[in-house]
Amino acid sequence: MKISEFIFQKGKIVSIYGESGSGKTNILLQVVSDLSPSLYISTEGTSYQGRAEKIKWKKDVRFVEVSNIYELISAILLSSKLNLKVIAVDTINNIYRRTRKYKDLLYPLILLHAFSQESDTKIVLSWQVSANNRVPGEKFMRMFSEDIFRITKDHLLIGNLRVCKFRIHEYGVEGCL
């Protein structure tokens, strides 16, 4: 089973959280590759580019880098005109972690939720965890997500009594094994 099929079995808005280096970005890149036309929004700059260069992309995958709440909201609003199958935001709580303003997390989540309700577009969000392994903005994650997965460094996606073991290769993610 493809990782994108596993992730969207129980909902259109899915969140993935885990510690740094666990594979969140690789999973999101694989999902946008599998389900095009798609949009990948990075709030963390160009760190995804090295991983993305090795994947064989379909034509209809777009990438946007944002550095503040206004750019993020603008990217989400513009995506509504693109007839996308999936929007991936990596990581949705990055700007909130820097500013500690709830609106920097709440407004994008409201827009993404409304967008998914009015269209067939699926949403996958990655969430950073803090040093104590807690998700900043966890209440919002639980409120807006229809399914939530924890990702481990052992290459497991765990959520709602389901487990998917995956492998990260230089050309993408293979899963569920």
Side-chain angles (χ1 to χ4, degrees), residues 2-18:
K2 287 184 177 183
I3 200 89
S4 54
E5 293 170 4
F6 177 79
I7 287 172
F8 290 114
Q9 280 181 337
K10 295 191 177 189
K12 285 175 53 176
I13 302 177
V14 176
S15 289
I16 300 172
Y17 71 95

Side-chain angles (χ1 to χ4, degrees), residues 54-125:
K54 297 177 181 175
I55 297 175
K56 294 179 182 176
W57 294 104
K58 297 175 184 172
K59 280 185 174 180
D60 296 343
V61 179
R62 293 179 172 85
F63 295 91
V64 176
E65 297 161 20
V66 300
S67 59
N68 59 53
I69 186 64
Y70 305 107
E71 291 175 355
L72 178 56
I73 289 172
S74 178
I76 294 167
L77 289 172
L78 290 173
S79 69
S80 67
K81 300 174 184 175
L82 299 176
N83 195 25
L84 301 170
K85 287 187 181 175
V86 68
I87 298 171
V89 182
D90 187 21
T91 60
I92 189 69
N93 63 344
N94 187 36
I95 297 167
Y96 166 71
R97 287 181 70 202
R98 286 184 278 150
T99 65
R100 290 294 181 203
K101 295 178 182 175
Y102 285 114
K103 68 178 180 117
D104 290 349
L105 187 54
L106 185 59
Y107 292 171
L109 288 170
I110 289 170
L111 281 174
L112 290 166
H113 182 265
F115 188 51
S116 76
Q117 298 301 309
E118 294 177 13
S119 69
D120 290 331
T121 303
K122 297 176 181 174
I123 311 292
V124 60
L125 308 167

Side-chain angles (χ1 to χ4, degrees), residues 41-55:
I41 302 172
S42 174
T43 66
E44 299 191 13
T46 60
S47 62
Y48 69 91
Q49 286 180 343
R51 297 174 203 138
E53 287 174 0
K54 297 177 181 175
I55 297 175

Side-chain angles (χ1 to χ4, degrees), residues 14-20 22 24 93 125-129 133-135 138 141-142 148-152 156-158:
V14 176
S15 289
I16 300 172
Y17 71 95
E19 57 187 278
S20 179
S22 58
K24 296 182 301 291
N93 63 344
L125 308 167
S126 71
W127 296 73
Q128 296 174 347
V129 296
N133 212 23
R134 297 193 49 90
V135 178
E138 181 177 358
M141 177 180 74
R142 297 201 180 282
I148 299 172
F149 294 97
R150 180 173 61 93
I151 189 170
T152 70
L156 291 174
L157 274 174
I158 303 166

